[in-house]
């Protein structure tokens, strides 16, 4: 199988996240009314429906809450990455986030494992935040 690696589809809401990642900052929206962190970014707060949101840099640290390992090729561009993990993280600021864990054997991933963000510069335009054991 062959194909291009999937890339994010940029829009007005998520562009600041990807621009911050390009600068190796892990930044998310925070509601200016109730303070809830939002990811994915969007036009209103899922907690209080307020529209105002500001971008804030997070620590980029947290723990693994759950994970899966993909053995099936759903995206031809990821065929060479099989088997790859997808982890559900709880970041220190309380936000739940989905990512990949790098620098670890899939069989060694554990619930509660502390992690920190790493920024993988894919090319001149795209940086992908991922996580590694801390
Ligand atoms: Zn809110």
């Amino acid at each position: 199988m062959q194909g291009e690696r999937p890339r994010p589809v940029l829009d007005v809401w998520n562009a600041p996240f990807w621009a911050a990642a390009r600068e190796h900052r892990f930044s998310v929206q925070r509601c200016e009314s109730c303070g809830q962190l939002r990811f994915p970014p969007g036009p209103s707060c899922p907690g209080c429906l307020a529209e105002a949101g500001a971008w804030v840099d997070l620590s980029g640290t947290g723990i693994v809450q759950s994970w899966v390992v993909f053995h099936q090729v759903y995206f031809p561009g990821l065929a060479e990455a099989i088997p790859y993990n997808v982890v559900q993280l709880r970041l220190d600021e309380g936000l739940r986030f989905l990512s990949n864990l790098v620098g670890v054997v899939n069989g060694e991933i554990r619930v509660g494992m502390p992690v920190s963000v790493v920024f993988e510069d894919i090319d001149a335009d795209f940086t992908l935040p991922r996580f590694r054991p801390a």
Side-chain angles (χ1 to χ4, degrees):
M1 286 193 167
Q2 50 185 296
E4 282 192 35
R5 244 183 126 92
R7 296 175 70 101
V9 177
L10 296 184
D11 62 30
V12 67
W13 302 111
N14 68 27
F17 174 82
W18 295 109
R22 192 75 200 117
E23 299 171 355
H24 293 195
R25 293 182 295 109
F26 192 82
S27 192
V28 301
Q29 269 185 320
R30 182 169 59 202
C31 177
E32 292 187 340
S33 178
C34 75
Q36 180 172 323
L37 297 173
R38 298 182 209 165
F39 196 90
S44 62
C45 175
C48 75
L49 303 181
E51 293 182 1
W55 287 86
V56 295
D57 290 350
L58 302 188
S59 64
T61 56
I63 62 166
V64 172
Q65 282 193 314
S66 187
W67 78 97
V68 294
V69 176
F70 284 81
H71 295 270
Q72 174 70 40
V73 178
Y74 292 104
F75 301 99
L78 293 178
E80 292 182 10
I82 294 289
Y84 63 89
N85 66 67
V86 175
V87 291
Q88 176 182 299
L89 307 174
R90 172 71 66 182
L91 301 179
D92 288 348
E93 293 85 357
L95 187 70
R96 185 177 301 161
F97 194 82
L98 296 175
S99 186
N100 308 116
L101 204 55
V102 298
V104 64
V105 175
N106 286 333
E108 295 177 355
I109 300 172
R110 296 289 180 266
V111 170
M113 176 181 277
V115 298
S116 61
V117 70
V118 292
F119 295 93
E120 185 177 337
D121 294 321
I122 304 295
D123 57 35
D125 301 318
F126 176 43
T127 296
L128 181 62
R130 290 177 150 166
F131 286 78
R132 62 171 169 75

